[in-house]
């Protein structure tokens, strides 16, 4: 007798198969079963979950085929299980029969027995019966659900229709607009009381007739044309000024809106809505004022101010010109947070009234741009004060206390001023110029003002453009990480590298690290960009270490980065992922951010030092506060403030007061065992002076320019 041959080619029964081999044969059959169904059916399960379900069904079928006594009806539940798994398409059952009809008999557990073919047939028949019954019950359930949903929908539609009719009746009774429903010939079928009131009659007094009879004779032709256009489907709605004739013969103007109901069908109707033009125009006037004026102060808003500015620019006397003041109140949030929004609104209203009083004798407009921003436009005349005197008046008016209970409130403001601008500038350009001048004033502190300067304006615009393009530059690779060596003062050894931002701008050329970091700090991008830079730099330095070059990495953090609550977590994660030892990483924090030992930045520095990261005090200068940071915090190095480095290089003699102070300061620092670094050493004499006062290492053009990673390796391993 020849034994059946399974897929492995081994005669069944010739050699007993191990449990692992039998499990492997079942797994192959289950995968084939799943593959056949999945290629033609949508299975609403994850592939792994679906495969596990078929594995379990196959195990149960094999167990049932070998069970004594044999009970084929057990397979019906597995047919229902296929339906529960979502295999309800026309090909699912066919694929199941095709795969299992042959595959079950080839399994090692079922091959070779003369009883198994009949049992497999009975099992598959029971499975098909269970599958068919489950599909039938599923279909009945779906049909029942659909019928219930249909009944609910019909009930909802009936209620909605009743509600719509009630709403329509309430609308007709409650609206102040006159409403008439007419047939296609204009005959009135229904009117509301408001229309009768517009016509000077009661609803009962209106004579039967058409809308054409109530119209002024000169407007009847236009009304008939509107009807034809609506009923023929050439328009869906019309709205025009229309004259009506009251019962006493008086003519009235109304806005007539027409809309057709079922145009082009038998029994089509037209709905006419009439509004008294005088009321409408009054309402429009009120709405226009609301759209163009600030609700709180009743001052013109930015939109109205801009439109007026355009008009003034066209008609103003070129010899006198205009002056534009853009104000932003200082510390206004302290008032609202401390005393409440209601008091804040009172302050804003008071500021508005005082600004109007300041320019009451001038041809001027005061506007509120939003929040705590105001603008004043002055058309200059012979007696108009100059900019300085006008700002003095504004400052004095705002400084006068406003008493709320026992509290006297006063405020200051920063101002951006555009005085007698060129007539070539548009209104929008003038407003932008004032905003840039205001931003420049706010950078100098509170109660400051700045005058529009075309050259400074161009620089500010260029800087703003750079800030806006910074994220895209990082994504496209224009902004990258460059490295500059920290060398001993004689240039004989490289003690580490500074990771710097380098922007190869396509139009401006190279952009320095300090500019990139400052822009990122101002825009908030530094929080994500800083993490990316640190990650890339750590990976690069670790790669150098694996090549035999052990260079400590120095990364300067900004004030916002230093105070980031997630800083320590980010650093630990990066160090763990890149494999860089913590003691090969030096993180610098600005001294001004660490003046208060209770700040987040100071706590971050302590935690980083405890984790083995070396910490560095940036922007170190000859102040007692800096020495306090050095004494209270676990700092391993200081970096002298760049302003002092530049001053020593260009404007300070060797025996000047600043030079002597630096020499003495660094002597004290060296006594603490702290390393001293300097940035910006550009020539040999400068390097010699800093070496003479005890600086350990420096970077700058005198030693090597910043560049890509391969340039650092060239410095370490020169040719030959």
């Amino acid at each position: 007798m020849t034994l059946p041959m399974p897929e492995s080619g081994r005669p069944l029964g010739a050699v007993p198969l191990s449990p692992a081999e039998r499990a492997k044969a079942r797994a192959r059959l289950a995968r084939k079963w799943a593959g056949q169904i999945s290629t033609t059916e949508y299975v609403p399960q994850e592939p792994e979950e679906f495969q596990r379900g078929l594995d379990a069904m196959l195990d149960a079928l094999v167990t049932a085929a070998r069970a004594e006594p044999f009970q084929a009806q057990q397979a019906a539940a597995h047919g229902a299980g296929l339906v529960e798994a979502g295999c309800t398409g026309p090909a699912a059952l066919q694929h199941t029969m095709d795969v299992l009809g042959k595959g079950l008999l080839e399994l090692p557990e079922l091959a070779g027995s003369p009883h198994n073919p009949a049992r497999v047939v009975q099992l598959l028949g029971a499975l098909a019966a269970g599958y068919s019954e489950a599909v039938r019950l599923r279909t009945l359930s779906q049909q029942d659900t659909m019928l219930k949903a249909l009944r609910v929908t019909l009930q909802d539609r009936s209620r909605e229709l009743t509600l719509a009719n009630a709403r329509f009746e309430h609308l007709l009774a409650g609206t102040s607009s006159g409403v008439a429903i007419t047939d296609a010939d204009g005959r009135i079928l229904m009117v509301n009381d408001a229309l009768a009131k517009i016509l000077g009659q009661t609803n009962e007094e209106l004579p039967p007739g058409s809308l054409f009879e109530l119209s002024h004779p000169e407007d009847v032709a236009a009304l008939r044309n509107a009807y034809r256009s609506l009923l023929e489907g050439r328009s869906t709605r019309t709205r025009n000024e229309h004259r009506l004739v009251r019962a006493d013969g008086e003519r009235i103007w109304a806005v007539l809106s027409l809309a057709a109901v079922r145009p082009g069908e038998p029994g089509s109707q037209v709905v006419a809505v009439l509004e008294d033009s005088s009321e409408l125009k009054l309402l429009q006037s009120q709405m226009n004022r609301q759209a163009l004026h600030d609700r709180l102060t009743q001052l013109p808003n930015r939109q109205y101010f801009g439109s007026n500015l355009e008009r003034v620019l066209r008609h103003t006397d070129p010899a006198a010109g205009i002056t534009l003041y853009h104000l932003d109140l200082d510390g206004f949030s302290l008032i609202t947070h401390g005393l409440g929004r209601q008091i804040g609104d009172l302050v804003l209203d008071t500021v508005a009234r005082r600004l109007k009083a300041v320019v009451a004798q001038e041809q001027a407009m005061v506007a509120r741009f939003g929040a705590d921003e105001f603008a004043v436009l002055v058309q200059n005349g012979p007696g108009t004060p100059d900019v300085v005197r006008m700002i003095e008046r504004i400052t004095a008016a705002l400084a006068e206390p406003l008493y709320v209970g026992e509290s006297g409130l006063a405020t200051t403001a920063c101002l951006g001023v555009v005085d007698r601008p060129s007539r070539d500038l548009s209104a929008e350009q003038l407003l932008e110029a004032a905003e840039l001048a205001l931003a420049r004033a706010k950078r100098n502190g509170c109660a400051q003002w700045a005058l529009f300067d075309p050259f400074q304006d161009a620089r500010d615009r260029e800087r703003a453009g750079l800030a806006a393009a910074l994220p895209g530059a990082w994504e496209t690779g224009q902004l990258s990480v460059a490295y500059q060596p920290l060398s001993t003062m004689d240039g004989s050894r490289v003690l580490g590298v500074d990771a710097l931002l380098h922007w190869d701008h396509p139009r401006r050329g190279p952009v320095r690290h300090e500019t990139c970091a400052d822009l990122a700090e101002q825009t908030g991008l530094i929080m994500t960009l800083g993490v990316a830079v640190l990650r890339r730099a750590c990976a690069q330095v670790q790669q150098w270490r694996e090549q035999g070059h052990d260079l400590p990495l120095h990364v300067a953090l900004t004030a916002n980065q230093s105070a980031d609550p997630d800083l320590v977590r980010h650093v630990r994660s990066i160090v763990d992922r890149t494999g860089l030892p913590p003691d090969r990483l030096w993180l610098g924090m600005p001294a001004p951010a660490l003046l208060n030992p209770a700040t987040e930045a100071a706590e971050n520095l302590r935690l980083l030092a405890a984790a083995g990261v070396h910490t560095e005090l940036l922007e170190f200068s000859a102040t007692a506060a800096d020495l306090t940071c050095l004494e209270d915090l676990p700092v391993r190095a200081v970096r002298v403030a760049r302003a002092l480095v530049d001053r020593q290089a260009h404007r300070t003699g060797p025996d000047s007061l600043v030079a002597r102070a630096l020499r003495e300061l660094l002597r004290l620092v060296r006594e603490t065992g702290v390393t001293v670094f300097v940035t910006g050493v550009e020539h040999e004499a400068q390097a010699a002076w800093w070496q003479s006062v005890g600086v350990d290492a420096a970077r700058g053009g005198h030693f090597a320019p910043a560049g890509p990673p391969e340039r650092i390796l060239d410095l370490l391993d020169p040719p030959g």
Side-chain angles (χ1 to χ4, degrees):
M1 177 178 176
T2 302
L3 296 175
M5 297 291 291
E7 293 181 4
S8 63
R10 179 189 297 169
L12 296 176
V15 178
L17 295 179
S18 67
E21 289 176 316
R22 289 197 298 271
K24 186 176 181 181
R26 289 192 193 182
R28 282 198 304 270
L29 180 58
R31 284 196 301 270
K32 181 177 180 181
W33 185 9
Q36 288 289 330
I37 293 177
S38 299
T39 54
T40 57
E41 297 286 331
Y42 167 72
V43 180
Q45 291 183 353
E46 292 295 329
E48 296 79 5
E49 181 184 357
F50 182 58
Q51 182 69 56
R52 288 194 299 270
L54 294 187
D55 288 341
M57 287 186 189
L58 185 60
D59 291 342
L61 289 173
V62 171
T63 301
R66 302 180 62 188
E68 295 296 343
F70 173 67
Q71 294 180 347
Q73 60 271 23
Q74 295 179 359
H78 303 306
L82 284 175
V83 176
E84 292 177 3
C87 302
T88 58
L93 183 60
Q94 181 62 47
H95 288 319
T96 299
M97 297 296 105
D98 291 344
V99 173
L100 298 185
K102 178 181 177 182
L104 283 172
L105 292 175
E106 293 179 348
L107 291 176
E109 296 94 324
L110 302 180
S113 172
H115 303 292
N116 286 342
R119 290 190 173 190
V120 167
V121 170
Q122 293 179 53
L123 286 172
L124 293 182
L127 186 147
Y131 180 90
S132 300
E133 179 62 15
V135 169
R136 184 182 70 83
L137 294 176
R138 182 189 183 100
T139 302
L140 290 175
S141 176
Q142 291 174 343
Q143 290 175 346
D144 183 59
T145 301
M146 291 177 62
L147 287 174
K148 291 179 180 179
L150 182 59
R151 284 195 298 270
V152 171
T153 301
L154 289 175
Q155 293 172 355
D156 290 343
R157 292 296 178 267
S158 177
R159 285 194 296 268
E160 289 175 2
L161 180 59
T162 302
L163 183 59
N165 289 333
R167 287 173 177 170
F168 181 67
E169 292 177 358
H170 284 298
L171 178 63
L172 286 180
T175 182
S176 61
S177 300
V179 180
I181 300 177
T182 73
D183 62 12
D185 297 325
R187 286 191 292 270
I188 296 176
L189 305 177
M190 180 189 300
V191 297
N192 67 346
D193 292 338
L195 178 57
K197 184 177 180 181
I198 291 174
L199 296 173
Q201 303 176 67
T202 64
N203 206 326
E204 293 77 13
E205 292 173 346
L206 280 177
S210 69
L211 189 59
F212 303 116
E213 296 173 359
L214 300 175
S215 302
H216 190 279
E218 295 179 4
D219 291 348
V220 171
L223 183 58
R224 292 190 184 276
N225 289 335
Y227 261 68
R228 281 195 294 269
S229 177
L230 290 169
L231 295 171
E232 292 172 2
R234 288 184 281 114
S235 61
T236 58
R237 187 179 300 275
T238 65
R239 181 179 175 85
N240 297 290
E241 291 280 349
H242 190 75
R243 286 176 292 182
L244 297 173
V245 180
R246 293 166 55 98
D248 56 8
E250 179 187 352
R251 291 181 301 177
I252 58 173
W253 282 93
V255 177
L256 176 61
S257 300
L258 299 175
V261 180
R262 297 185 303 176
E265 299 181 12
S268 58
Q269 297 176 346
V270 174
V271 178
V273 180
L274 296 97
E275 300 171 86
D276 192 300
S277 290
S278 59
E279 294 182 3
L280 179 62
K281 289 178 181 178
L282 178 60
L283 178 61
Q284 288 176 336
S285 176
Q286 294 173 347
M287 292 179 63
N288 288 338
R289 179 171 180 80
Q290 292 176 3
L292 299 175
H293 288 74
D294 173 51
R295 179 191 60 81
L296 174 65
T297 64
Q298 299 304 307
L299 292 178
N301 60 14
R302 188 185 185 97
Q303 179 183 353
Y304 189 10
F305 187 87
S307 300
N308 184 65
L309 180 57
E310 291 179 353
R311 180 187 61 79
V312 169
L313 288 175
R314 289 195 301 268
H315 300 97
T316 191
D317 181 5
I322 65 169
T323 304
L324 175 61
Y325 302 85
H326 191 171
L327 296 81
D328 189 356
L329 302 183
D330 298 322
F332 179 71
S333 61
L334 296 178
I335 296 176
T336 57
H337 293 165
L339 301 177
R341 174 59 61 183
Q342 186 175 3
I343 301 301
D345 289 346
L346 178 60
V347 171
L348 291 174
D349 187 57
T350 303
V351 169
R353 288 188 282 106
R354 291 180 179 178
L355 290 176
K356 290 175 67 176
V358 168
V359 296
Q361 304 303 318
E362 307 295 332
Q363 191 174 355
M365 171 182 280
V366 180
R368 182 188 177 198
F369 278 5
D372 55 352
E373 291 188 39
F374 294 83
V376 180
L377 173 63
V378 179
Q379 300 181 55
N380 297 314
T384 301
D386 60 28
V387 170
V388 174
R389 284 191 294 166
M390 183 65 76
I391 291 177
E392 288 175 349
R393 293 182 182 182
I394 292 174
T395 302
L398 297 182
E400 183 180 349
L402 166 66
Y403 286 93
V404 180
E406 297 181 354
S407 300
L409 306 178
T411 184
T412 59
C414 287
L415 295 92
V417 185
V418 182
D419 186 40
R420 293 175 172 84
S422 168
R423 293 177 61 84
D424 296 335
L425 294 180
S426 66
E428 183 177 354
Q429 290 171 328
L430 280 179
L431 291 172
E432 291 178 356
E435 287 180 358
L436 288 173
L438 173 61
R440 192 163 64 252
K442 292 171 67 175
R443 287 199 294 268
N444 295 329
C446 296
Q448 302 295 316
W449 67 276
L451 195 63
F452 165 67
D453 177 0
F455 300 102
Q456 183 63 45
D457 179 74
R459 290 192 291 270
D460 289 344
R461 290 178 185 274
E462 183 175 17
R463 185 178 178 85
L466 286 175
L470 197 62
W474 178 259
E475 291 296 328
T476 59
Q478 292 179 8
L479 183 63
S480 59
V481 181
Y483 302 88
Q484 191 168 26
L486 270 169
S487 303
T488 56
M489 299 309 296
D490 60 2
S492 61
R493 284 190 304 129
V494 175
L495 301 182
V497 291
D498 274 352
L500 307 173
L501 286 168
H502 175 75
W503 189 353
D504 190 10
H505 196 280
R507 181 174 54 82
R508 290 188 73 238
V511 180
R512 298 171 59 246
H513 165 80
E514 290 76 12
T515 301
C516 295
D518 188 39
L519 293 175
E521 180 83 344
Q522 291 180 12
T523 59
L525 179 65
I526 193 65
M527 306 305 282
T528 54
L529 181 60
V531 173
V533 168
L534 183 61
R535 183 184 301 113
R536 183 174 298 182
C538 287
Q540 178 63 67
V541 171
Q542 177 61 18
Q543 181 180 345
W544 285 336
R545 292 185 72 252
E546 294 170 356
Q547 296 172 358
H549 304 292
D550 191 5
L551 294 174
L553 171 65
H554 295 253
V555 180
L557 305 179
T558 66
N560 282 334
Q561 283 180 282
S562 302
D564 183 7
D566 291 328
L567 175 64
V568 176
R569 180 175 61 84
H570 287 315
V571 171
R572 286 176 173 172
S573 174
I574 291 171
V575 167
D576 290 342
R577 290 188 178 185
T578 60
L580 183 69
D583 63 354
R584 309 316 288 161
L585 176 61
W586 291 69
L587 292 180
M589 295 185 182
L594 299 168
L595 294 182
N596 184 350
T599 60
E600 191 79 34
E603 182 63 20
N604 282 340
L605 187 142
R606 295 188 188 95
L607 293 174
L608 289 171
V613 176
H614 292 273
T615 55
E616 183 177 345
L617 191 63
L618 306 179
E619 301 177 21
F620 186 75
S621 57
T623 66
D626 290 355
L627 293 175
T628 301
C629 291
L630 190 61
E631 190 173 47
D632 293 345
L633 296 173
V635 175
R636 300 289 296 272
V638 298
R639 191 163 309 214
V640 179
R642 184 63 181 267
L644 291 177
V645 177
D646 293 341
R647 181 180 179 87
Q648 189 280 329
H650 302 295
R651 292 180 292 172
T652 304
D655 296 324
S656 69
L657 179 63
V658 173
R660 296 201 309 270
L662 280 173
R663 185 178 289 108
E664 182 62 21
L665 172 70
L666 294 183
R667 184 186 65 79
L668 293 174
V669 172
R670 295 279 298 172
E671 288 180 359
T672 66
V674 171
T675 305
V676 181
F677 298 129
V678 169
T679 296
V681 177
E682 302 298 332
H683 51 78
E684 184 176 357
Q686 193 180 4
W689 189 89
W690 286 108
Q691 185 177 17
S692 71
V693 298
V695 171
D696 296 285
R699 70 169 172 88
H702 172 65
F703 301 101
E710 56 269 17
R711 181 174 296 175
I712 300 298
L713 294 185
D714 291 341
L715 294 173
L716 296 175
D717 300 317

